[in-house]
Amino acid sequence: MNNDQELKLQAFLDGELPARERPAVADWLAADAEARALQQEWALTRSALAGGEPPRPLPESREFYWSKIQREILRGEKAGARAAARRAVPWWRRLLVPTAGLAVLTLGLSVALNYWPPGRQPHVVETALADSGAFTYRDLKEGITLVWLSYPADSGLADDAGADIIE
Amino acid sequence: MAGAERLNSLLPPSVEPMTGNAQHSAAADETLVKAAQKGDMGAFEELVARHRDKIYARAYSMMRNEDDALDLSQEAWVKGWQRLQQFQGDASFGTWMTRIVINLCLDALRRRKRQQAESVEVLNEEAGGVERHMPVMTVNPTEGLERAELRERIDRAMAQLTYEHRTVLILHEFEEMEYKQIAKVMDCSIGTVMSRLFYARRRLAALMANWKDEDEGTNTPDKQKP
């Protein structure tokens, strides 16, 4: 008996074989001792299984088992309610907070630029491209300019320079 | 509306209204399901109490582990509550819940299998293994056994099958599902279901026949047809 025949026989015995194929398998079963032996083996196994599934009572009390289920149900319902509440907010309201934040930032920047337009900031620190080691600090309000050099005073570069205050 | 009032509203006028747990324990499953669908958690608790052993036993038979069976059976009840509106009463409530726990167990077993490297033994079993060619058992494995002994042997034999073979046997023999339904639940072809069922039956027969031989202290070759 090959594998196809075995599976066909099984389908026949389980009542799953299409009607048109049944007569041929029935004839074969009647004539083939090996097929009948397999049929008997399955019948014995099936009778053993019928009513042979072990009962397995729950190892927890009704109250304890239910309390865990109830807790999960309530947790799920709370999460669902929160998600539903989020979904209920229209899209334009969800954009309200980031938009308002951006507006406040823009407003602040615009006020700051109005109050201190470029060139009128109370003090400025500059560094010249020609000498990246020299820094200039200008305090426009006090009218002070301070120039300092980042390299040592005894280097050749600083022969004529120190920190001079120009008023 | 409170749970008890909801349930009373579903009772026919000839039935005396009851209160609390007594009312729930006297109601039919269908009545409890309708009440639970309207949000009566007390009715659902009664349904859990009625079917919990069966749902737990099914989870255990598939997972072969008490902790997994407890977790998955509880998860099934939570899912049951969440999907209660989908229950149309085509099958009994117990059958509907059993399908939920079976699906959860299969998901858990698939996840577990993905995590483990597939062994050579499992691959052999998928292909049919040695049982495909073993002699047919003609000995009655249940003969002379008490019911408790028989159940213990079936339990032991089921534990020795891979989860695919065990599941297909459970679904066909205990849940009385057709090949097509099993294929859908297990997400495989009908051919695979037939092949797994064939192997599982043969392996189960062989295991039980061997234990019977051991009991009798013999290994009689005349009980097997070559």
Side-chain angles (χ1 to χ4, degrees), chain B residues 161-179:
Chain B
L161 300 178
T162 62
Y163 93 80
E164 288 96 342
H165 296 112
R166 188 167 56 243
T167 304
V168 90
L169 209 55
I170 288 169
L171 297 183
H172 193 269
E173 301 296 332
F174 298 146
E175 295 299 329
E176 298 176 347
M177 287 167 74
E178 294 175 358
Y179 292 172

Side-chain angles (χ1 to χ4, degrees), chain A residues 1 3-4 6-17 33-34 36-42 44-74 76-77, chain B residues 41 44-46 48-49 52-53 56-58 60-61 64 66 70 73-74 77-78 81-82 132 134-142 147 150-151 154-155 158 169 172-174 177-180 191 194-195 197-198 201-202 204-205 208 225:
Chain A
M1 202 185 318
N3 186 223
D4 280 349
E6 286 169 343
L7 296 185
K8 202 167 266 193
L9 177 63
Q10 178 181 248
F12 174 77
L13 297 172
D14 285 335
E16 295 258 6
L17 202 65
E34 196 187 350
R36 281 200 305 280
L38 203 52
Q39 177 193 25
Q40 195 196 350
E41 180 189 284
W42 285 337
L44 290 172
T45 308
R46 180 165 267 187
S47 76
L49 287 172
E53 190 179 21
R56 203 169 293 277
L58 194 74
E60 288 182 349
S61 71
R62 170 178 174 160
E63 291 74 21
F64 186 58
Y65 187 67
W66 168 249
S67 71
K68 288 194 280 180
I69 295 167
Q70 190 179 31
R71 199 167 52 237
E72 284 306 309
I73 287 174
L74 295 175
E77 286 187 346
Chain B
M41 209 175 265
F44 191 68
E45 185 192 356
E46 177 62 27
V48 173
R52 66 196 174 125
D53 284 347
Y56 168 75
R58 179 55 65 240
Y60 186 91
S61 69
R64 311 297 308 174
E66 191 176 294
L70 272 171
S73 65
Q74 280 163 344
W77 286 111
V78 174
W81 170 264
Q82 289 165 347
R132 176 137 280 153
M134 73 187 182
V136 175
M137 305 293 158
T138 55
V139 60
N140 183 356
T142 67
R147 179 172 279 261
L150 173 64
R151 285 176 165 172
I154 288 172
D155 196 43
M158 294 291 251
L169 209 55
H172 193 269
E173 301 296 332
F174 298 146
M177 287 167 74
E178 294 175 358
Y179 292 172
K180 194 168 63 179
M194 291 168 75
S195 188
L197 190 58
F198 180 85
R201 280 170 161 161
R202 299 235 58 204
L204 199 78
M208 294 189 65
K225 286 188 179 175

Side-chain angles (χ1 to χ4, degrees), chain B residues 144-154 156 208 215:
Chain B
L145 287 181
E146 295 291 328
R147 179 172 279 261
E149 283 176 300
L150 173 64
R151 285 176 165 172
E152 188 271 326
R153 286 195 181 184
I154 288 172
R156 198 147 47 109
M208 294 189 65
D215 284 350

Side-chain angles (χ1 to χ4, degrees), chain B residues 139-145 153 208-220 222-223:
Chain B
V139 60
N140 183 356
T142 67
E143 198 179 10
L145 287 181
R153 286 195 181 184
M208 294 189 65
N210 285 344
W211 290 328
K212 189 161 178 62
D213 284 346
E214 281 170 20
D215 284 350
E216 292 168 0
T218 56
N219 195 2
T220 46
D222 59 324
K223 286 179 178 174

Side-chain angles (χ1 to χ4, degrees), chain A residues 110-139:
Chain A
S110 137
V111 167
L113 285 174
N114 253 342
Y115 192 73
W116 296 305
R120 282 189 55 200
Q121 288 91 338
H123 60 263
V124 178
V125 176
E126 290 174 347
T127 176
L129 280 175
D131 184 357
S132 60
F135 296 90
T136 308
Y137 171 83
R138 279 201 194 96
D139 191 326

